[in-house]
Amino acid sequence: MVLIDPLPRRLLRVNERLCRLLGYDADELLGMSFYALTHPEDRERDQANYERAMASRDADYFTEKRYLRRDGQAVWVLANATFIRDEQGRPRLALAAIIDITDRRLAETQARDLAAVVECSTDFIGISALNGHGIYLNPAGQSLVGLESDLAVRAHRVQDYLFPDDLPCFHETVLPAVMTSGRWAGEFRFRHFRTGEPILIHWDVLR
């Protein structure tokens, strides 16, 4: 939490959590401006967002951006400021709550990177619900079994991918292992949806 002089965006009062987040002592932060603390790549966009919110009586300042810690490390935050205005609507003070979202942004970046790897992989990579209904199958997987769309993937269950002669083994061995230990791996057979031919695979199933 921080109390701000809204025109220069100067910090007037800070709590210990903000000090830990930015790596400064409280007396070092007092008098600094949020413009200076904001990552240089985010300053122009952030200043425009701030000025729009300050000019409107009905708007709060709300944004995701990066600050630079004292050690130079970037930290992602969710910042939300409410303006305390005089009778003419001019901002006198601003009270802001700042939440560290660095871990969330890192997770989102990793998820995007993983999604790109999955999409480009030449391996069959699929996701289903625990009841067996299909959720996702990457392009290589669709090509392997002869499916042509995400809609077709969602229309089938895991059992539909399997060569019919291997269904008893799936129900008696694979499925119980996955549900109890969380994993099963071994050789198995899928079937091609258009031709019906068996496709020998090494199947690694994770719950």
Side-chain angles (χ1 to χ4, degrees), residues 52-72:
R52 279 195 298 270
M54 191 168 57
S56 173
R57 284 177 178 253
D58 300 324
D60 286 348
Y61 163 76
F62 188 84
T63 192
E64 292 186 7
K65 65 172 184 176
R66 290 167 292 177
Y67 288 138
L68 284 179
R69 290 173 44 86
R70 185 177 184 173
D71 59 11

Side-chain angles (χ1 to χ4, degrees), residues 9 12 35 39 49 62 65 70-71 103 168-169 173 200:
R9 301 181 72 179
L12 300 176
Y35 183 84
H39 193 289
N49 289 341
F62 188 84
K65 65 172 184 176
R70 185 177 184 173
D71 59 11
D103 289 345
C169 179
T173 302
L200 184 62

Side-chain angles (χ1 to χ4, degrees), residues 38-54:
T38 298
H39 193 289
E41 295 178 5
D42 296 345
R43 284 174 183 168
E44 185 176 349
R45 174 182 57 84
D46 179 61
Q47 186 66 21
N49 289 341
Y50 181 82
E51 290 176 357
R52 279 195 298 270
M54 191 168 57

Side-chain angles (χ1 to χ4, degrees), residues 87-163:
E87 292 180 355
Q88 286 72 44
R90 295 185 294 258
R92 292 178 49 249
L93 293 169
L95 181 64
I98 298 167
I99 302 171
D100 183 357
I101 59 170
T102 304
D103 289 345
R104 193 201 81 192
R105 292 295 296 238
L106 177 61
E108 290 172 351
T109 299
Q110 292 173 336
R112 286 193 296 270
D113 291 346
L114 177 60
V117 170
V118 168
E119 282 289 298
C120 297
S121 175
T122 58
D123 293 326
F124 177 110
I125 302 176
I127 302 172
S128 76
L130 287 180
N131 63 9
H133 288 294
I135 295 175
Y136 169 82
L137 181 58
N138 69 341
Q142 293 187 27
S143 176
L144 178 70
V145 297
L147 294 176
E148 297 180 348
S149 69
D150 293 339
L151 184 62
V153 171
R154 293 190 293 271
H156 292 286
R157 303 181 67 188
V158 170
Q159 294 91 318
D160 300 330
Y161 289 78
L162 307 181
F163 196 64

Side-chain angles (χ1 to χ4, degrees), residues 163-183:
F163 196 64
D165 291 350
D166 293 346
L167 281 172
C169 179
F170 170 75
H171 289 292
E172 295 167 10
T173 302
V174 178
L175 194 57
V178 171
M179 290 305 175
T180 55
S181 67
R183 187 167 192 168

